[in-house]
């Protein structure tokens, strides 16, 4: 396939015009842009040149930085979850020991009616509506 030049593509320095005999699949957009820049007297500004050189080089850096950041964030989340689980296990073990201690104390102490009365309060006789007078 012959190379596409600016003249073959039908470009002039002042207009963008494609001749009808060139099929669209043969047009290379990069060569069109290159032809426009070489034929025109206008050069891109320094800022445009600087950013056109800088941005493509920064894409891999940005991707790598994002990947590292997300990996560290995932590691921090995992470690915080492990810490929470360890604290929860320690709290459950402490509560189980407290329950075992209370069960042993209850088994060793003789059952007494006074203990339940101390919890429920003194018994009064006076009918079922006595609770209304307390309040």
């Amino acid at each position: 396939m012959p190379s596409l030049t600016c003249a073959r593509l039908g470009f002039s320095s002042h207009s963008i015009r494609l001749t009808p005999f060139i099929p669209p699949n043969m047009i290379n957009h990069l060569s069109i842009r290159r032809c426009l820049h070489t034929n025109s007297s206008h050069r891109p500004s320094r800022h445009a040149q600087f950013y056109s050189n800088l941005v493509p080089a920064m894409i891999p850096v940005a991707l790598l930085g994002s990947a590292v950041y997300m990996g560290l964030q995932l590691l921090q989340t995992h470690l915080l979850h492990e810490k929470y689980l360890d604290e929860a296990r320690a709290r459950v073990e402490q509560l189980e020991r407290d329950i075992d201690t209370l069960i042993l104390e209850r088994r060793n102490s003789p059952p007494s009616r006074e203990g339940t009365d101390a919890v429920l309060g003194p018994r009064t006789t006076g009918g079922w509506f006595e609770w209304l007078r307390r309040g």
Side-chain angles (χ1 to χ4, degrees), residues 51-67:
Y51 286 115
S52 67
N53 292 335
L54 179 71
V55 170
M58 290 303 292
I59 290 174
V61 173
L63 289 175
L64 181 64
S66 297

Side-chain angles (χ1 to χ4, degrees), residues 9 15 34 38 51 100:
L9 290 175
S15 67
R34 196 177 314 121
T38 56
Y51 286 115
D100 291 340

Side-chain angles (χ1 to χ4, degrees), residues 17-85:
R17 184 173 47 91
L18 294 177
T19 57
F21 66 90
I22 298 174
N25 62 354
M26 289 184 63
I27 298 171
N28 185 355
H29 295 288
L30 293 175
S31 64
I32 291 172
R33 190 168 39 164
R34 196 177 314 121
C35 290
L36 289 175
H37 286 299
T38 56
N39 287 340
S40 66
S41 61
H42 175 67
R43 291 189 44 100
S45 68
R46 286 187 192 177
H47 295 288
Q49 288 177 344
F50 174 75
Y51 286 115
S52 67
N53 292 335
L54 179 71
V55 170
M58 290 303 292
I59 290 174
V61 173
L63 289 175
L64 181 64
S66 297
V68 168
Y69 174 78
M70 289 174 61
L72 290 173
Q73 193 74 18
L74 181 65
L75 179 65
Q76 180 190 21
T77 304
H78 178 72
L79 292 174
L80 283 175
H81 182 67
E82 278 188 18
K83 179 183 175 186
Y84 171 76
L85 287 178

Side-chain angles (χ1 to χ4, degrees), residues 98-119:
D98 292 346
I99 290 171
D100 291 340
T101 305
L102 291 173
I103 289 173
L104 286 176
E105 287 177 5
R106 188 173 184 186
R107 285 184 187 160
N108 292 337
S109 67
S112 67
R113 186 82 176 132
E114 299 152 4
T116 57
D117 286 341
V119 173

